[in-house]
Amino acid sequence: DFVPPGRARALVLDPGQAFGTGTHATTRLATRLMLPRIKPGHVVIDAGCGSGILGIAAGMGGARVYAFDNDSLAVAAARDNFARNRVKPGALARAATVPKLFPRADLIVANISAAVLATLAARFAAALKPGGSIVSTGIVAAGRLASLFHYERAGLRFVHEARSGEWFAYVHTR
């Protein structure tokens, strides 16, 4: 059995056929930008949750997590992984966008392609509480300007950019 160092907690994951093993640069970027912004009781939406890794990490940080993905295999893998890590999501749904029944979020985390992030920008803005943040990644250089443009057009304010190799991640607020 793996014993995490210090006060760290281990996240146990079986991605099945879903995206999200925890080793990809975008997952590390999202986690690094997301975790310091979470306070116990915050509502976090994991958009395009894949294996559920980001939502599970948020839940371990004390957040109430709502997650969705448009792939039924991803939703099934996420459900299993939430249970495996004893994190109970507020809801886990198969959907292409933030379900209207989800509460407004303090934070949205989205590790999806730049093209998909652009189409979801307005819905993300509507799903955030005033002062809420969105952490988005899955963006390469070719998609940077379009992503930033769509987020700005949706009323989201740029806060921070991070990079790992060819991958970019952003923090915006409403």
Side-chain angles (χ1 to χ4, degrees), residues 126-158:
L128 278 174
K129 293 177 182 176
S133 299
I134 178 164
V135 172
S136 57
T137 189
I139 304 160
V140 293
R144 285 179 65 225
L145 294 179
S147 295
L148 292 169
F149 169 78
H150 287 286
Y151 276 44
E152 182 179 334
R153 190 169 73 179
L156 297 167
R157 184 177 59 82
F158 173 83

Side-chain angles (χ1 to χ4, degrees), residues 80-105:
D80 291 344
N81 287 320
F82 271 92
R84 184 175 284 113
N85 287 279
R86 295 182 181 91
V87 174
K88 186 174 184 340
L92 181 56
R94 181 175 181 205
T97 189
V98 181
K100 293 192 186 291
L101 295 176
F102 281 13
R104 290 178 76 193

Side-chain angles (χ1 to χ4, degrees), residues 67-128:
F68 73 92
D69 201 295
N70 66 352
D71 181 345
S72 60
L73 294 173
V75 173
R79 185 171 287 113
D80 291 344
N81 287 320
F82 271 92
R84 184 175 284 113
N85 287 279
R86 295 182 181 91
V87 174
K88 186 174 184 340
L92 181 56
R94 181 175 181 205
T97 189
V98 181
K100 293 192 186 291
L101 295 176
F102 281 13
R104 290 178 76 193
D106 296 287
L107 185 132
I108 296 173
V109 61
N111 183 4
I112 314 173
S113 71
V116 175
L117 289 168
T119 66
L120 293 172
R123 182 67 188 116
F124 285 164
L128 278 174

Side-chain angles (χ1 to χ4, degrees), residues 46-57:
D46 183 355
C49 65
S51 67
I53 188 168
L54 297 171
I56 294 164

